[in-house]
Amino acid sequence: MLQPTDGGYTNGYHHDGAVAGGISGGHRVRRGSRGRSRGRRGGGSSDGDARVSQWQQHHEDEEEREKPAPPCTEFDTAYFNSYAHVGIHEEMIKDRVRTDTYRNAIFQHQNFIAGKVVVDVGCGTGILSIFCAQAGARRVYAVDASDIAVQANEIVKANNLCDKVIVLHGRVEDVEIDEEVDVIVSEWMGYMLLYESMLGSVITARDRWLKPGGLILPSHATLYMAPVTHPDRYSESVDFWRNVYGIDMSAIMPLAKQCAFEEPSVETITVENVLTWPQVVKHVDCYTVTTQELESITSRFKFESMMRSPFHGFAFWFDVEFTGPAVFPLNNGMRPSFVEPSNSNMTEGNQRKKRPNPNDALVLSTAPEDPPTHWQQVL
């Protein structure tokens, strides 16, 4: 861990000293950990106009004091520490669908990024921050609450980008940036889009620093649900107990069925498993969504199967869209309005009749018909 020297920070790296703890777990836990930990990470530079203010416990002017950030809970610190494990970042970076789409989106919006100030919420190893620097960003604040920020800072130095990329080790709620930003980039999505995602931290960054008319990547997200049939999975988990090494263990089948259906499972399904057109559970506009809106999500649905097959459960997946801000200027001082995304007709509860037109926007999809990602689907 890099330590402050004489009250300052070495190597352009800032740390608030509040991150500790740790957990380990299975595949789903690791991905979830990444979501929360990355969403609240941070670090910085100490030179010239790129200086990030040192942590401030309170403002001198009481009238300008911001609403206090929520405290960092034991769960948060354990979550952050789990993201210090390199395996999580290896899994994400090796997901070529994910990483290539983000890189393509950043360079597709190079005109918005070149010469501008960017904040990367939950930067992890810093790969998206470096993509932004390569696209010509004047300055990139790479924020992460996990100790992986230490390695991110070393990666920035190894690539001679210390003059552009400032690693901030801390929560988005706690770090200080002394300027507004033009762009927010974040890979915030969790399993089933919102499971332990860090969208709340993106919202915090947006409300704290984003200029009116600024760009958020990704800009929109849509969560889908569809009933599925999965006879192979059912056979492996339930029917297996009918005959175990010649022994009748069917008495366990009710318990096996209960265990199979009571918990979500992250796995890959195929289009052959899907019984109907999917329906939209939630559409998220990252320019306008609020944390209150995400506290509880309710959707009504009605499905009509397109085939006669056993119904074993529901599958969830999501798309995210990278749409540049098309601003309609306002004179009332309010945040500008934005052009609706290409899939804006897909309101909650509506069926998804077709995919967004790839000519309209770049889309990262985790749907069964698309190339697989590390998110897979949630059954």
Side-chain angles (χ1 to χ4, degrees):
M1 173 76 63
L2 300 175
Q3 297 293 338
T5 303
D6 297 328
Y9 293 92
T10 62
N11 299 317
Y13 171 84
H14 289 198
H15 172 46
D16 69 358
V19 179
I23 61 173
S24 61
H27 179 74
R28 282 176 285 181
V29 174
R30 290 203 307 271
R31 170 68 197 187
S33 317
R34 164 197 167 250
R36 184 165 312 191
S37 111
R38 296 181 14 190
R40 304 178 181 173
R41 302 195 286 227
S45 164
S46 58
D47 297 325
D49 63 353
R51 183 184 304 274
V52 176
S53 66
Q54 298 180 4
W55 314 127
Q56 299 177 356
Q57 299 302 316
H58 46 75
H59 296 285
E60 294 180 2
D61 188 345
E62 290 291 332
E63 294 181 355
E64 295 181 358
R65 178 176 296 177
E66 295 182 359
K67 183 179 179 181
C72 188
T73 66
E74 291 184 3
F75 183 86
D76 287 334
T77 55
Y79 193 91
F80 298 153
N81 196 64
S82 72
Y83 260 83
H85 194 288
V86 70
I88 303 170
H89 303 280
E90 179 182 348
E91 177 189 39
M92 293 186 292
I93 290 174
K94 285 182 174 179
D95 182 343
R96 296 299 300 265
V97 174
R98 163 202 179 267
T99 307
D100 283 344
T101 302
Y102 266 85
R103 180 171 60 179
N104 291 341
I106 287 168
F107 282 93
Q108 188 178 85
H109 293 88
Q110 189 168 8
N111 289 341
F112 289 99
I113 294 172
K116 301 298 181 61
V117 179
V118 179
V119 61
D120 178 0
V121 178
C123 67
T125 59
I127 188 169
L128 300 187
S129 297
I130 291 174
F131 288 161
C132 289
Q134 291 173 343
R138 175 167 57 89
R139 185 173 305 119
V140 183
Y141 295 100
V143 184
D144 206 301
S146 166
D147 284 349
I148 196 67
V150 177
Q151 282 72 41
N153 189 64
E154 294 302 313
I155 291 169
V156 168
K157 290 195 296 182
N159 287 273
N160 300 315
L161 290 171
C162 291
D163 59 329
K164 287 191 174 183
V165 180
I166 303 170
V167 178
L168 299 172
H169 188 182
R171 300 190 307 164
V172 163
E173 293 83 354
D174 299 328
V175 302
E176 294 293 336
I177 297 176
D178 289 342
E179 61 181 324
E180 290 185 315
V181 305
D182 304 281
V183 181
I184 293 174
V185 62
S186 179
E187 199 274 78
W188 54 263
M189 301 82 71
Y191 290 122
M192 201 170 157
L193 184 63
L194 298 174
Y195 174 72
E196 290 190 343
S197 81
M198 57 183 201
L199 179 55
S201 293
V202 174
I203 294 171
T204 298
R206 179 198 70 194
D207 294 345
R208 291 189 69 186
W209 300 310
L210 187 65
K211 292 179 180 178
L215 173 67
I216 303 177
L217 297 176
S219 55
H220 302 84
T222 307
L223 175 64
Y224 300 98
M225 176 181 69
V228 295
T229 183
H230 207 332
D232 292 341
R233 174 72 162 21
Y234 187 87
S235 176
E236 293 170 0
S237 302
V238 180
D239 286 340
F240 162 79
W241 296 101
R242 294 185 187 276
N243 187 328
V244 182
Y245 289 90
I247 302 171
D248 182 358
M249 292 191 175
S250 57
I252 296 181
M253 289 180 64
L255 177 60
K257 187 180 297 186
Q258 176 185 342
C259 293
F261 289 132
E262 71 181 2
E263 289 186 349
S265 174
V266 179
E267 55 188 89
T268 298
I269 63 171
T270 67
V271 290
E272 288 77 15
N273 297 120
V274 181
L275 293 173
T276 75
W277 285 103
Q279 289 197 331
V280 174
V281 176
K282 179 64 179 177
H283 180 71
V284 175
D285 183 337
C286 294
Y287 293 109
T288 60
V289 66
T290 65
T291 54
Q292 293 77 16
E293 184 181 335
L294 301 173
E295 290 177 357
S296 178
I297 295 173
T298 303
S299 179
R300 294 180 178 272
F301 55 88
K302 181 180 179 180
F303 293 104
E304 184 175 341
S305 180
M306 296 183 292
M307 64 187 78
R308 183 175 293 277
S309 295
F311 165 48
H312 290 124
F314 293 97
F316 294 81
W317 60 86
F318 63 87
D319 293 341
V320 294
E321 185 173 320
F322 298 83
T323 303
V327 181
F328 295 106
L330 300 176
N331 296 320
N332 57 5
M334 301 296 289
R335 184 180 295 274
S337 59
F338 295 85
V339 168
E340 289 296 318
S342 59
N343 59 350
S344 60
N345 60 329
M346 300 178 195
T347 56
E348 284 82 346
N350 285 350
Q351 288 191 332
R352 177 199 193 199
K353 296 297 185 184
K354 62 179 181 179
R355 295 292 309 283
N357 187 339
N359 294 323
D360 295 336
L362 189 61
V363 174
L364 168 58
S365 175
T366 66
E369 68 266 26
D370 288 308
T373 71
H374 76 283
W375 285 284
Q376 301 175 274
Q377 291 83 38
V378 175
L379 182 63

